[in-house]
Amino acid sequence: MSDCNDELPKNSTPAIRVLAMPKDANPTGDIFGGWIISHVDTAGAVAAMKRSGGRVATVAVNNFEFKKPVFVGDLVSCYAEILKVGRTSMTIKVIAYAERDSIEKCVIKVTEATIVYVALDENRKPRPVDG
């Protein structure tokens, strides 16, 4: 399989992992882009919540690139990396990989995104990340 050149990041734990199911696919068997966007955003939010110690909200998607399709049965792992921390916001890079064909151990980078989250207080107002 020529697309199976990628590897999962070593010494790193995915923010989330999810199995692509038939209900998430369009009539041709490809997973809907919105399904992937939702999981990538969730993975970024997990990293942002851990870093800020509380509630966060997505405020911007600076980049979102679909590199390869995701298919029913793929195990999608989303890895999040904090790129920048401001006073109330964080920029997170999320890379999603699909593990396909367990016999061949096929790993494919399918999506890459850069997303900005803002830390929120109990009134849903911006708060300092370290506060």
Side-chain angles (χ1 to χ4, degrees):
M1 295 185 157
S2 62
D3 281 346
C4 297
N5 307 0
D6 299 313
E7 293 182 11
L8 296 175
K10 296 190 183 340
N11 302 318
S12 185
T13 303
I16 64 167
R17 298 182 84 187
V18 63
L19 188 62
M21 301 296 285
K23 68 179 180 56
D24 306 314
N26 63 27
T28 61
D30 298 332
I31 297 301
F32 287 112
W35 182 89
I36 298 165
I37 291 169
S38 173
H39 291 297
V40 166
D41 185 35
T42 300
V46 167
M49 289 185 322
K50 283 183 180 179
R51 175 61 179 84
S52 71
R55 176 181 290 193
V56 299
T58 306
V59 294
V61 177
N62 293 339
N63 176 52
F64 209 104
E65 184 178 350
F66 297 98
K67 294 181 171 291
K68 301 281 182 178
V70 175
F71 302 123
V72 171
D74 285 354
L75 178 60
V76 177
S77 300
C78 297
Y79 291 82
E81 174 188 359
I82 298 171
L83 298 179
K84 178 182 169 189
V85 177
R87 192 176 77 73
T88 63
S89 65
M90 297 148 284
T91 302
I92 313 281
K93 180 176 185 174
V94 180
I95 300 176
Y97 296 87
E99 295 176 71
R100 157 178 318 157
D101 189 0
S102 60
I103 295 169
E104 299 248 352
K105 306 282 191 236
C106 179
V107 175
I108 301 165
K109 183 190 292 187
V110 293
T111 305
E112 199 167 319
T114 306
I115 307 171
V116 180
Y117 300 87
V118 67
L120 300 175
D121 66 15
E122 61 279 352
N123 297 312
R124 293 186 172 91
K125 301 291 183 197
R127 67 169 171 84
V129 170
D130 294 319

